């Protein structure tokens, strides 16, 4: 079974400051890793994903994440945040299998990012 | 294609009533997932279809819950004899079996009084 821990439930930052949202996972098998964002009253939207290859992945809206296998982490970063980045962010994993993932996502508890002017 | 749609967006019901939610996936996707999200938590997997076959059900899915995808297109999730603990956001997602990204609908918020 897989599990995901998001180490911060809330992260307040000022506009234009850098931010890091932390995610650690546990799995006995290889996994794919994802970050989703949920804006108020909207569905989950994929920010970025790590499947294989380069451990630094870039996503939409200027976000990037780095996969660290030894530390079982997949932290999300953005060098300069905007007010519009205020949302809840979810880290998720799915079991890898044979070139396509099994599909069932296991999510972390979420991190609420609040960007202040 | 307008993405994954869910109906209704909000449902308020009294304890003991039955409710049914509908999900329409992206048309070319053959995988469909249901998740439940309670306040302050991440979504939790409930069940998963590939075409019309229900391939896995979570232990969270008690016998009061049933899901169908009769023609491999839209899906319904029914909760019988609702309880206050069923109050949550019910999310539907779809994907192609050849891709790893799941596309989520806006969810159905259920409130059981």
């Amino acid at each position: 079974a897989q599990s995901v821990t998001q180490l911060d439930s809330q992260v307040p930052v000022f506009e234009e400051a850098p931010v890091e949202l932390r995610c650690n996972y546990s799995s006995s098998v290889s996994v794919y890793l994802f970050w989703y964002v949920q804006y108020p009253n909207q569905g989950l939207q994929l920010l970025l994903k790590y499947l294989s290859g380069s451990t630094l992945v870039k996503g939409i809206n200027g976000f990037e994440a780095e996969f660290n296998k030894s530390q079982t982490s997949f932290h999300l970063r953005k060098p300069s945040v905007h007010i519009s980045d205020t949302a809840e962010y979810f880290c998720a994993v799915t079991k890898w299998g044979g070139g396509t993932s099994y599909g069932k996502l296991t999510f972390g508890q979420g991190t609420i990012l609040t960007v202040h002017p | 294609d307008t993405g994954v749609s869910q109906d209704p967006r909000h449902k308020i019901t009294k304890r003991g009533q039955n409710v049914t939610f509908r999900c329409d996936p992206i048309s070319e996707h053959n995988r469909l997932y249901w998740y439940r999200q309670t306040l302050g938590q991440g979504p939790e997997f409930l069940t998963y279809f590939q075409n019309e076959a229900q391939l896995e059900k979570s232990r969270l899915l008690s016998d009061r819950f049933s899901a169908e995808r009769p023609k491999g297109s839209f899906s319904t999730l029914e909760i019988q004899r609702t309880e206050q603990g069923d109050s949550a956001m019910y999310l539907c997602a779809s994907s192609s079996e050849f891709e790893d990204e799941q596309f989520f609908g806006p969810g159905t918020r259920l409130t059981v009084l």
Side-chain angles (χ1 to χ4, degrees), chain A residues 47-49 56-60 63-65:
Chain A
L47 270 180
L48 48 78
K49 60 184 176 184
L56 183 64
V57 292
K58 295 189 182 297
I60 62 172
F63 284 93
E64 64 182 29

Side-chain angles (χ1 to χ4, degrees), chain A residues 17-85:
Chain A
V19 70
E20 179 179 78
L21 306 184
R22 297 180 293 168
C23 171
N24 286 94
Y25 71 93
S26 173
S27 177
S28 58
V29 299
S30 297
V31 294
Y32 292 154
L33 295 147
F34 304 82
W35 275 98
Y36 280 84
V37 60
Q38 188 173 35
Y39 299 103
N41 300 316
Q42 294 188 28
L44 290 159
Q45 179 183 1
L46 182 69
L47 270 180
L48 48 78
K49 60 184 176 184
Y50 173 78
L51 306 181
S52 65
S54 173
T55 57
L56 183 64
V57 292
K58 295 189 182 297
I60 62 172
N61 301 339
F63 284 93
E64 64 182 29
E66 187 160 17
F67 171 59
N68 187 319
K69 188 174 183 179
S70 62
Q71 297 187 9
T72 60
S73 68
F74 189 55
H75 300 333
L76 181 70
R77 301 186 183 103
K78 186 170 183 178
S80 176
V81 294
H82 302 286
I83 298 285
S84 59
D85 293 322

Side-chain angles (χ1 to χ4, degrees), chain A residues 32 34 36 38 41-46 49 51 88 90 94 99-110, chain B residues 9 31 33 35 37 40-45 48 55-56 91 97-107:
Chain A
Y32 292 154
F34 304 82
Y36 280 84
Q38 188 173 35
N41 300 316
Q42 294 188 28
L44 290 159
Q45 179 183 1
L46 182 69
K49 60 184 176 184
L51 306 181
E88 189 161 17
F90 293 95
T94 187
T100 56
S101 74
Y102 168 74
K104 178 178 80 174
L105 289 169
T106 299
F107 286 87
Q109 304 93 319
Chain B
R9 294 289 305 275
R31 287 183 174 178
Y33 306 82
Y35 295 85
Q37 185 178 16
Q41 300 296 318
E44 295 175 294
F45 171 79
Y48 148 63
L55 298 186
E56 184 174 346
L91 299 170
E97 67 181 287
F98 304 109
E99 295 181 2
D100 301 287
E101 178 178 355
Q102 293 182 25
F103 293 81
F104 283 80

